[in-house]
Amino acid sequence: MKRTDLLRHLLAKGCELLREGGNHSIYVNRATRKVSTIPRHREIDEYLARKICRDLEVPEY
């Protein structure tokens, strides 16, 4: 899955960028107070994308 597609999905579900790390972006879902890191690769594995959605408590992509 492309990183931009995952980010678009997370933003549509209410998540927002908290800060940029060295190799990851940290996103937060303020409604549930959950945080997850997203690697800065063009492609993100499907399993990792599902885990990120579960961590942030948003519907899986």
Side-chain angles (χ1 to χ4, degrees):
M1 147 179 298
K2 294 205 181 274
R3 182 178 192 268
T4 55
D5 294 337
L6 177 61
L7 294 180
R8 196 173 300 127
H9 172 71
L10 294 177
L11 292 173
K13 300 299 180 187
C15 298
E16 57 189 47
L17 178 67
L18 181 63
R19 65 184 176 88
E20 295 285 342
N23 295 318
H24 293 78
S25 301
I26 292 91
Y27 276 78
V28 63
N29 184 347
R30 297 211 187 263
T32 59
R33 295 183 177 178
K34 300 292 181 176
V35 177
S36 185
T37 59
I38 300 170
R40 278 198 219 114
H41 302 289
R42 286 192 189 273
E43 289 289 325
I44 295 178
D45 188 47
E46 294 291 327
Y47 296 108
L48 180 58
R50 274 190 250 140
K51 184 191 180 310
I52 291 168
C53 289
R54 270 186 266 132
D55 288 347
L56 292 171
E57 295 184 1
V58 297
E60 292 182 4
Y61 185 78

Short mmCIF file of all heavy atoms in Angstrom, two decimals:
data_model
loop_
_atom_site.label_atom_id
_atom_site.label_comp_id
_atom_site.label_asym_id
_atom_site.label_seq_id
_atom_site.Cartn_x
_atom_site.Cartn_y
_atom_site.Cartn_z
N MET A 1 0.85 -1.17 0.00
CA MET A 1 0.00 0.00 0.00
C MET A 1 0.89 1.24 0.00
O MET A 1 1.94 1.25 0.63
CB MET A 1 -0.89 -0.05 1.24
CG MET A 1 -1.22 1.29 1.82
SD MET A 1 -2.27 1.24 3.25
CE MET A 1 -3.68 0.51 2.57
N LYS A 2 0.47 2.24 -0.70
CA LYS A 2 1.23 3.47 -0.75
C LYS A 2 1.04 4.25 0.55
O LYS A 2 -0.04 4.28 1.13
CB LYS A 2 0.80 4.32 -1.93
CG LYS A 2 1.13 3.68 -3.25
CD LYS A 2 1.25 4.72 -4.31
CE LYS A 2 1.56 4.09 -5.62
NZ LYS A 2 2.96 3.87 -5.82
N ARG A 3 2.11 4.89 0.99
CA ARG A 3 2.08 5.66 2.24
C ARG A 3 1.06 6.79 2.16
O ARG A 3 0.33 7.04 3.12
CB ARG A 3 3.48 6.21 2.52
CG ARG A 3 3.58 7.00 3.81
CD ARG A 3 5.02 7.46 4.02
NE ARG A 3 5.21 7.96 5.35
CZ ARG A 3 5.06 9.25 5.67
NH1 ARG A 3 4.74 10.12 4.75
NH2 ARG A 3 5.24 9.65 6.91
N THR A 4 0.97 7.44 1.02
CA THR A 4 0.04 8.56 0.88
C THR A 4 -1.41 8.11 1.03
O THR A 4 -2.22 8.84 1.60
CB THR A 4 0.23 9.28 -0.47
OG1 THR A 4 0.11 8.32 -1.52
CG2 THR A 4 1.58 9.95 -0.54
N ASP A 5 -1.73 6.92 0.54
CA ASP A 5 -3.09 6.40 0.69
C ASP A 5 -3.42 6.14 2.15
O ASP A 5 -4.52 6.46 2.62
CB ASP A 5 -3.28 5.11 -0.11
CG ASP A 5 -3.18 5.33 -1.60
OD1 ASP A 5 -3.40 6.48 -2.05
OD2 ASP A 5 -2.88 4.37 -2.32
N LEU A 6 -2.47 5.58 2.90
CA LEU A 6 -2.69 5.34 4.33
C LEU A 6 -2.85 6.65 5.08
O LEU A 6 -3.76 6.79 5.90
CB LEU A 6 -1.52 4.53 4.92
CG LEU A 6 -1.60 4.26 6.42
CD1 LEU A 6 -2.85 3.46 6.76
CD2 LEU A 6 -0.35 3.56 6.91
N LEU A 7 -2.01 7.63 4.78
CA LEU A 7 -2.11 8.92 5.47
C LEU A 7 -3.44 9.61 5.16
O LEU A 7 -4.06 10.19 6.05
CB LEU A 7 -0.94 9.82 5.07
CG LEU A 7 0.44 9.36 5.52
CD1 LEU A 7 1.49 10.36 5.07
CD2 LEU A 7 0.49 9.15 7.01
N ARG A 8 -3.88 9.53 3.92
CA ARG A 8 -5.17 10.11 3.54
C ARG A 8 -6.30 9.46 4.32
O ARG A 8 -7.22 10.14 4.79
CB ARG A 8 -5.36 9.95 2.03
CG ARG A 8 -6.44 10.83 1.47
CD ARG A 8 -6.49 10.78 -0.05
NE ARG A 8 -5.22 11.21 -0.64
CZ ARG A 8 -4.53 10.50 -1.53
NH1 ARG A 8 -4.98 9.34 -1.94
NH2 ARG A 8 -3.41 10.96 -2.02
N HIS A 9 -6.24 8.13 4.49
CA HIS A 9 -7.25 7.39 5.24
C HIS A 9 -7.24 7.83 6.71
O HIS A 9 -8.30 8.08 7.30
CB HIS A 9 -6.97 5.89 5.14
CG HIS A 9 -7.84 5.05 6.02
ND1 HIS A 9 -9.18 4.86 5.77
CD2 HIS A 9 -7.55 4.35 7.15
CE1 HIS A 9 -9.68 4.08 6.71
NE2 HIS A 9 -8.71 3.76 7.55
N LEU A 10 -6.05 7.95 7.31
CA LEU A 10 -5.95 8.34 8.71
C LEU A 10 -6.46 9.76 8.94
O LEU A 10 -7.18 10.03 9.91
CB LEU A 10 -4.51 8.22 9.20
CG LEU A 10 -3.93 6.81 9.24
CD1 LEU A 10 -2.47 6.86 9.67
CD2 LEU A 10 -4.73 5.92 10.16
N LEU A 11 -6.13 10.66 8.05
CA LEU A 11 -6.59 12.04 8.18
C LEU A 11 -8.11 12.13 8.05
O LEU A 11 -8.76 12.91 8.75
CB LEU A 11 -5.90 12.94 7.16
CG LEU A 11 -4.40 13.14 7.37
CD1 LEU A 11 -3.81 13.90 6.19
CD2 LEU A 11 -4.12 13.85 8.67
N ALA A 12 -8.69 11.32 7.18
CA ALA A 12 -10.14 11.33 7.01
C ALA A 12 -10.85 10.79 8.24
O ALA A 12 -12.00 11.16 8.50
CB ALA A 12 -10.52 10.49 5.79
N LYS A 13 -10.18 9.94 9.01
CA LYS A 13 -10.77 9.35 10.21
C LYS A 13 -10.47 10.15 11.48
O LYS A 13 -10.75 9.72 12.58
CB LYS A 13 -10.30 7.91 10.40
CG LYS A 13 -10.65 7.01 9.25
CD LYS A 13 -12.15 6.92 9.06
CE LYS A 13 -12.48 6.01 7.91
NZ LYS A 13 -13.89 6.01 7.57
N GLY A 14 -9.87 11.33 11.35
CA GLY A 14 -9.67 12.21 12.50
C GLY A 14 -8.29 12.20 13.11
O GLY A 14 -8.07 12.85 14.13
N CYS A 15 -7.35 11.49 12.53
CA CYS A 15 -5.99 11.48 13.06
C CYS A 15 -5.24 12.70 12.53
O CYS A 15 -5.61 13.26 11.50
CB CYS A 15 -5.26 10.20 12.65
SG CYS A 15 -6.03 8.72 13.29
N GLU A 16 -4.20 13.09 13.24
CA GLU A 16 -3.41 14.22 12.78
C GLU A 16 -1.94 14.01 13.10
O GLU A 16 -1.59 13.22 13.99
CB GLU A 16 -3.91 15.52 13.41
CG GLU A 16 -3.90 15.52 14.91
CD GLU A 16 -4.59 16.72 15.50
OE1 GLU A 16 -5.70 17.05 15.05
OE2 GLU A 16 -4.01 17.31 16.41
N LEU A 17 -1.09 14.71 12.37
CA LEU A 17 0.35 14.61 12.55
C LEU A 17 0.72 15.27 13.87
O LEU A 17 0.38 16.43 14.12
CB LEU A 17 1.07 15.29 11.39
CG LEU A 17 2.59 15.32 11.47
CD1 LEU A 17 3.15 13.90 11.34
CD2 LEU A 17 3.15 16.21 10.38
N LEU A 18 1.42 14.53 14.72
CA LEU A 18 1.88 15.07 15.99
C LEU A 18 3.25 15.70 15.82
O LEU A 18 3.47 16.86 16.18
CB LEU A 18 1.91 13.98 17.06
CG LEU A 18 2.34 14.38 18.46
CD1 LEU A 18 1.35 15.37 19.04
CD2 LEU A 18 2.45 13.16 19.35
N ARG A 19 4.19 14.92 15.24
CA ARG A 19 5.54 15.44 14.99
C ARG A 19 6.26 14.52 14.02
O ARG A 19 5.81 13.42 13.75
CB ARG A 19 6.34 15.57 16.28
CG ARG A 19 6.64 14.26 16.96
CD ARG A 19 7.35 14.48 18.30
NE ARG A 19 7.56 13.24 19.00
CZ ARG A 19 8.62 12.45 18.84
NH1 ARG A 19 9.57 12.79 17.99
NH2 ARG A 19 8.74 11.33 19.51
N GLU A 20 7.37 15.01 13.52
CA GLU A 20 8.21 14.22 12.62
C GLU A 20 9.40 13.73 13.42
O GLU A 20 10.06 14.50 14.11
CB GLU A 20 8.71 15.08 11.45
CG GLU A 20 7.62 15.56 10.53
CD GLU A 20 7.10 14.47 9.62
OE1 GLU A 20 7.78 13.45 9.46
OE2 GLU A 20 6.02 14.66 9.06
N GLY A 21 9.68 12.44 13.35
CA GLY A 21 10.87 11.88 13.97
C GLY A 21 11.98 11.78 12.95
O GLY A 21 11.88 12.34 11.85
N GLY A 22 13.02 11.03 13.27
CA GLY A 22 14.14 10.89 12.35
C GLY A 22 13.76 10.10 11.11
O GLY A 22 14.02 10.52 9.99
N ASN A 23 13.14 8.93 11.30
CA ASN A 23 12.77 8.08 10.18
C ASN A 23 11.28 7.77 10.14
O ASN A 23 10.84 7.01 9.29
CB ASN A 23 13.54 6.75 10.26
CG ASN A 23 15.01 6.95 10.08
OD1 ASN A 23 15.44 7.71 9.23
ND2 ASN A 23 15.81 6.29 10.90
N HIS A 24 10.52 8.31 11.08
CA HIS A 24 9.09 8.03 11.17
C HIS A 24 8.31 9.32 11.38
O HIS A 24 8.85 10.30 11.86
CB HIS A 24 8.80 7.10 12.36
CG HIS A 24 9.36 5.74 12.21
ND1 HIS A 24 10.68 5.45 12.41
CD2 HIS A 24 8.77 4.58 11.87
CE1 HIS A 24 10.89 4.17 12.21
NE2 HIS A 24 9.74 3.61 11.87
N SER A 25 7.04 9.27 11.04
CA SER A 25 6.10 10.34 11.37
C SER A 25 5.21 9.81 12.48
O SER A 25 4.80 8.66 12.45
CB SER A 25 5.25 10.71 10.16
OG SER A 25 6.07 11.12 9.09
N ILE A 26 4.92 10.64 13.46
CA ILE A 26 4.10 10.21 14.59
C ILE A 26 2.72 10.84 14.43
O ILE A 26 2.59 12.07 14.33
CB ILE A 26 4.74 10.61 15.93
CG1 ILE A 26 6.03 9.81 16.16
CG2 ILE A 26 3.79 10.32 17.08
CD1 ILE A 26 7.24 10.44 15.67
N TYR A 27 1.71 9.97 14.35
CA TYR A 27 0.33 10.42 14.21
C TYR A 27 -0.45 10.11 15.47
O TYR A 27 -0.15 9.13 16.16
CB TYR A 27 -0.34 9.74 13.00
CG TYR A 27 -0.04 10.46 11.72
CD1 TYR A 27 1.19 10.31 11.08
CD2 TYR A 27 -0.96 11.34 11.15
CE1 TYR A 27 1.48 10.99 9.93
CE2 TYR A 27 -0.67 12.02 9.99
CZ TYR A 27 0.54 11.85 9.39
OH TYR A 27 0.84 12.54 8.25
N VAL A 28 -1.43 10.96 15.78
CA VAL A 28 -2.22 10.81 16.99
C VAL A 28 -3.70 10.87 16.64
O VAL A 28 -4.10 11.60 15.75
CB VAL A 28 -1.83 11.90 18.03
CG1 VAL A 28 -2.14 13.29 17.51
CG2 VAL A 28 -2.53 11.68 19.34
N ASN A 29 -4.48 10.07 17.36
CA ASN A 29 -5.93 10.14 17.29
C ASN A 29 -6.36 10.76 18.62
O ASN A 29 -6.38 10.11 19.65
CB ASN A 29 -6.54 8.75 17.11
CG ASN A 29 -8.04 8.80 16.94
OD1 ASN A 29 -8.67 9.81 17.19
ND2 ASN A 29 -8.61 7.69 16.52
N ARG A 30 -6.66 12.03 18.62
CA ARG A 30 -6.95 12.75 19.85
C ARG A 30 -8.24 12.28 20.52
O ARG A 30 -8.38 12.36 21.73
CB ARG A 30 -7.01 14.24 19.59
CG ARG A 30 -5.66 14.78 19.11
CD ARG A 30 -5.44 16.20 19.52
NE ARG A 30 -4.22 16.72 18.92
CZ ARG A 30 -3.05 16.76 19.56
NH1 ARG A 30 -2.94 16.28 20.75
NH2 ARG A 30 -1.99 17.26 18.95
N ALA A 31 -9.18 11.76 19.75
CA ALA A 31 -10.45 11.29 20.31
C ALA A 31 -10.22 10.09 21.23
O ALA A 31 -10.88 9.96 22.26
CB ALA A 31 -11.42 10.93 19.20
N THR A 32 -9.29 9.21 20.85
CA THR A 32 -9.03 8.01 21.65
C THR A 32 -7.71 8.10 22.42
O THR A 32 -7.38 7.17 23.15
CB THR A 32 -9.01 6.76 20.76
OG1 THR A 32 -7.97 6.93 19.78
CG2 THR A 32 -10.34 6.56 20.07
N ARG A 33 -6.96 9.18 22.22
CA ARG A 33 -5.67 9.38 22.86
C ARG A 33 -4.69 8.26 22.54
O ARG A 33 -3.97 7.77 23.41
CB ARG A 33 -5.82 9.54 24.37
CG ARG A 33 -6.58 10.76 24.76
CD ARG A 33 -6.63 10.90 26.24
NE ARG A 33 -7.30 12.16 26.58
CZ ARG A 33 -7.53 12.55 27.80
NH1 ARG A 33 -7.14 11.80 28.81
NH2 ARG A 33 -8.13 13.68 28.03
N LYS A 34 -4.66 7.85 21.28
CA LYS A 34 -3.76 6.80 20.81
C LYS A 34 -2.73 7.39 19.86
O LYS A 34 -3.04 8.32 19.10
CB LYS A 34 -4.52 5.68 20.10
CG LYS A 34 -5.55 5.01 20.97
CD LYS A 34 -4.90 4.23 22.07
CE LYS A 34 -5.95 3.54 22.93
NZ LYS A 34 -5.40 2.71 23.95
N VAL A 35 -1.52 6.85 19.91
CA VAL A 35 -0.41 7.34 19.09
C VAL A 35 0.21 6.16 18.35
O VAL A 35 0.29 5.06 18.88
CB VAL A 35 0.65 8.02 19.98
CG1 VAL A 35 1.84 8.47 19.16
CG2 VAL A 35 0.05 9.18 20.73
N SER A 36 0.64 6.39 17.11
CA SER A 36 1.34 5.36 16.34
C SER A 36 2.37 6.02 15.43
O SER A 36 2.19 7.16 15.01
CB SER A 36 0.34 4.56 15.51
OG SER A 36 1.00 3.49 14.87
N THR A 37 3.42 5.28 15.14
CA THR A 37 4.45 5.78 14.24
C THR A 37 4.26 5.17 12.85
O THR A 37 3.85 4.02 12.72
CB THR A 37 5.86 5.42 14.75
OG1 THR A 37 5.96 4.01 14.86
CG2 THR A 37 6.14 6.07 16.09
N ILE A 38 4.55 5.96 11.84
CA ILE A 38 4.41 5.52 10.46
C ILE A 38 5.76 5.74 9.77
O ILE A 38 6.27 6.85 9.73
CB ILE A 38 3.30 6.31 9.74
CG1 ILE A 38 1.99 6.08 10.48
CG2 ILE A 38 3.20 5.90 8.29
CD1 ILE A 38 0.88 6.95 10.04
N PRO A 39 6.36 4.67 9.25
CA PRO A 39 7.67 4.81 8.60
C PRO A 39 7.57 5.64 7.33
O PRO A 39 6.53 5.70 6.69
CB PRO A 39 8.08 3.37 8.30
CG PRO A 39 6.82 2.61 8.26
CD PRO A 39 5.87 3.30 9.20
N ARG A 40 8.68 6.29 6.98
CA ARG A 40 8.70 7.09 5.77
C ARG A 40 9.26 6.29 4.61
O ARG A 40 10.36 6.53 4.14
CB ARG A 40 9.54 8.34 5.99
CG ARG A 40 8.78 9.40 6.68
CD ARG A 40 9.45 10.75 6.51
NE ARG A 40 9.32 11.44 7.78
CZ ARG A 40 10.32 11.75 8.56
NH1 ARG A 40 11.55 11.48 8.22
NH2 ARG A 40 10.10 12.33 9.70
N HIS A 41 8.47 5.31 4.15
CA HIS A 41 8.78 4.53 2.96
C HIS A 41 7.66 4.76 1.97
O HIS A 41 6.53 5.03 2.37
CB HIS A 41 8.85 3.03 3.27
CG HIS A 41 9.85 2.67 4.32
ND1 HIS A 41 11.21 2.73 4.10
CD2 HIS A 41 9.69 2.26 5.60
CE1 HIS A 41 11.83 2.36 5.21
NE2 HIS A 41 10.94 2.07 6.13
N ARG A 42 7.94 4.64 0.70
CA ARG A 42 6.88 4.80 -0.30
C ARG A 42 5.82 3.74 -0.15
O ARG A 42 4.64 4.00 -0.26
CB ARG A 42 7.46 4.74 -1.71
CG ARG A 42 8.23 5.97 -2.09
CD ARG A 42 8.52 5.94 -3.58
NE ARG A 42 9.42 7.01 -3.95
CZ ARG A 42 9.02 8.23 -4.26
NH1 ARG A 42 7.76 8.52 -4.23
NH2 ARG A 42 9.90 9.15 -4.59
N GLU A 43 6.24 2.51 0.10
CA GLU A 43 5.31 1.38 0.25
C GLU A 43 5.31 0.91 1.69
O GLU A 43 6.37 0.81 2.31
CB GLU A 43 5.73 0.23 -0.66
CG GLU A 43 5.51 0.49 -2.13
CD GLU A 43 4.05 0.49 -2.52
OE1 GLU A 43 3.27 -0.28 -1.95
OE2 GLU A 43 3.69 1.29 -3.41
N ILE A 44 4.12 0.65 2.23
CA ILE A 44 3.96 0.12 3.58
C ILE A 44 3.24 -1.21 3.45
O ILE A 44 2.23 -1.31 2.74
CB ILE A 44 3.18 1.11 4.47
CG1 ILE A 44 3.99 2.39 4.63
CG2 ILE A 44 2.87 0.48 5.82
CD1 ILE A 44 3.31 3.46 5.44
N ASP A 45 3.76 -2.22 4.12
CA ASP A 45 3.20 -3.56 4.08
C ASP A 45 1.75 -3.54 4.58
O ASP A 45 1.41 -2.77 5.48
CB ASP A 45 4.05 -4.49 4.95
CG ASP A 45 3.65 -5.93 4.80
OD1 ASP A 45 3.49 -6.38 3.66
OD2 ASP A 45 3.49 -6.60 5.84
N GLU A 46 0.91 -4.38 3.99
CA GLU A 46 -0.50 -4.44 4.36
C GLU A 46 -0.70 -4.75 5.84
O GLU A 46 -1.57 -4.20 6.50
CB GLU A 46 -1.24 -5.48 3.52
CG GLU A 46 -1.31 -5.14 2.05
CD GLU A 46 -2.20 -3.94 1.74
OE1 GLU A 46 -3.19 -3.75 2.45
OE2 GLU A 46 -1.86 -3.21 0.81
N TYR A 47 0.11 -5.67 6.37
CA TYR A 47 -0.01 -6.04 7.78
C TYR A 47 0.33 -4.86 8.69
O TYR A 47 -0.33 -4.64 9.70
CB TYR A 47 0.91 -7.23 8.11
CG TYR A 47 0.53 -8.48 7.37
CD1 TYR A 47 1.31 -8.96 6.34
CD2 TYR A 47 -0.64 -9.17 7.68
CE1 TYR A 47 0.97 -10.10 5.64
CE2 TYR A 47 -1.00 -10.31 6.99
CZ TYR A 47 -0.19 -10.77 5.98
OH TYR A 47 -0.55 -11.90 5.30
N LEU A 48 1.36 -4.12 8.32
CA LEU A 48 1.74 -2.95 9.11
C LEU A 48 0.66 -1.88 9.04
O LEU A 48 0.35 -1.23 10.04
CB LEU A 48 3.08 -2.40 8.63
CG LEU A 48 3.60 -1.17 9.37
CD1 LEU A 48 3.75 -1.46 10.85
CD2 LEU A 48 4.91 -0.72 8.78
N ALA A 49 0.07 -1.68 7.87
CA ALA A 49 -1.00 -0.69 7.73
C ALA A 49 -2.19 -1.05 8.61
O ALA A 49 -2.78 -0.17 9.26
CB ALA A 49 -1.43 -0.59 6.27
N ARG A 50 -2.53 -2.34 8.66
CA ARG A 50 -3.64 -2.78 9.53
C ARG A 50 -3.30 -2.57 11.00
O ARG A 50 -4.15 -2.15 11.79
CB ARG A 50 -3.97 -4.23 9.26
CG ARG A 50 -4.95 -4.38 8.13
CD ARG A 50 -5.46 -5.79 8.05
NE ARG A 50 -4.88 -6.35 6.83
CZ ARG A 50 -4.41 -7.55 6.69
NH1 ARG A 50 -4.43 -8.40 7.68
NH2 ARG A 50 -3.90 -7.95 5.55
N LYS A 51 -2.06 -2.83 11.37
CA LYS A 51 -1.64 -2.65 12.76
C LYS A 51 -1.70 -1.17 13.16
O LYS A 51 -2.12 -0.83 14.25
CB LYS A 51 -0.24 -3.20 13.00
CG LYS A 51 0.16 -3.09 14.47
CD LYS A 51 1.62 -3.38 14.66
CE LYS A 51 2.03 -3.27 16.10
NZ LYS A 51 1.63 -2.06 16.78
N ILE A 52 -1.27 -0.30 12.26
CA ILE A 52 -1.32 1.14 12.54
C ILE A 52 -2.77 1.57 12.76
O ILE A 52 -3.07 2.32 13.70
CB ILE A 52 -0.65 1.93 11.39
CG1 ILE A 52 0.86 1.68 11.40
CG2 ILE A 52 -0.95 3.41 11.50
CD1 ILE A 52 1.58 2.17 10.16
N CYS A 53 -3.68 1.10 11.92
CA CYS A 53 -5.10 1.44 12.08
C CYS A 53 -5.63 0.91 13.41
O CYS A 53 -6.38 1.61 14.10
CB CYS A 53 -5.92 0.88 10.92
SG CYS A 53 -5.63 1.73 9.35
N ARG A 54 -5.26 -0.31 13.77
CA ARG A 54 -5.70 -0.87 15.06
C ARG A 54 -5.13 -0.07 16.22
O ARG A 54 -5.82 0.19 17.20
CB ARG A 54 -5.29 -2.33 15.18
CG ARG A 54 -6.34 -3.27 14.64
CD ARG A 54 -5.96 -4.70 14.90
NE ARG A 54 -5.27 -5.17 13.70
CZ ARG A 54 -4.11 -5.83 13.68
NH1 ARG A 54 -3.51 -6.16 14.77
NH2 ARG A 54 -3.57 -6.18 12.54
N ASP A 55 -3.85 0.32 16.12
CA ASP A 55 -3.22 1.10 17.19
C ASP A 55 -3.93 2.43 17.40
O ASP A 55 -4.07 2.90 18.54
CB ASP A 55 -1.75 1.36 16.89
CG ASP A 55 -0.89 0.11 17.02
OD1 ASP A 55 -1.38 -0.89 17.59
OD2 ASP A 55 0.26 0.15 16.55
N LEU A 56 -4.34 3.06 16.30
CA LEU A 56 -5.01 4.36 16.38
C LEU A 56 -6.52 4.23 16.57
O LEU A 56 -7.22 5.24 16.68
CB LEU A 56 -4.71 5.18 15.12
CG LEU A 56 -3.27 5.62 14.99
CD1 LEU A 56 -3.03 6.23 13.62
CD2 LEU A 56 -2.90 6.61 16.07
N GLU A 57 -7.01 2.99 16.58
CA GLU A 57 -8.44 2.70 16.76
C GLU A 57 -9.31 3.38 15.71
O GLU A 57 -10.31 4.03 16.01
CB GLU A 57 -8.91 3.07 18.17
CG GLU A 57 -8.26 2.22 19.24
CD GLU A 57 -8.76 2.50 20.63
OE1 GLU A 57 -9.65 3.36 20.80
OE2 GLU A 57 -8.23 1.86 21.56
N VAL A 58 -8.91 3.22 14.44
CA VAL A 58 -9.72 3.66 13.31
C VAL A 58 -10.05 2.42 12.48
O VAL A 58 -9.36 1.41 12.59
CB VAL A 58 -8.99 4.73 12.45
CG1 VAL A 58 -8.71 5.97 13.24
CG2 VAL A 58 -7.72 4.18 11.86
N PRO A 59 -11.09 2.47 11.65
CA PRO A 59 -11.40 1.31 10.80
C PRO A 59 -10.22 0.96 9.90
O PRO A 59 -9.53 1.85 9.41
CB PRO A 59 -12.59 1.79 9.95
CG PRO A 59 -13.18 2.92 10.71
CD PRO A 59 -12.05 3.55 11.49
N GLU A 60 -10.00 -0.33 9.71
CA GLU A 60 -8.87 -0.76 8.89
C GLU A 60 -9.07 -0.37 7.44
O GLU A 60 -10.17 -0.34 6.95
CB GLU A 60 -8.68 -2.28 9.01
CG GLU A 60 -8.24 -2.69 10.39
CD GLU A 60 -8.01 -4.18 10.51
OE1 GLU A 60 -8.13 -4.89 9.50
OE2 GLU A 60 -7.73 -4.62 11.63
N TYR A 61 -7.95 -0.06 6.79
CA TYR A 61 -7.99 0.38 5.40
C TYR A 61 -8.18 -0.78 4.49
O TYR A 61 -7.68 -1.83 4.63
CB TYR A 61 -6.67 1.09 5.05
CG TYR A 61 -6.66 1.69 3.68
CD1 TYR A 61 -7.32 2.88 3.44
CD2 TYR A 61 -6.01 1.07 2.64
CE1 TYR A 61 -7.33 3.42 2.17
CE2 TYR A 61 -6.01 1.61 1.38
CZ TYR A 61 -6.66 2.79 1.15
OH TYR A 61 -6.69 3.35 -0.09
#
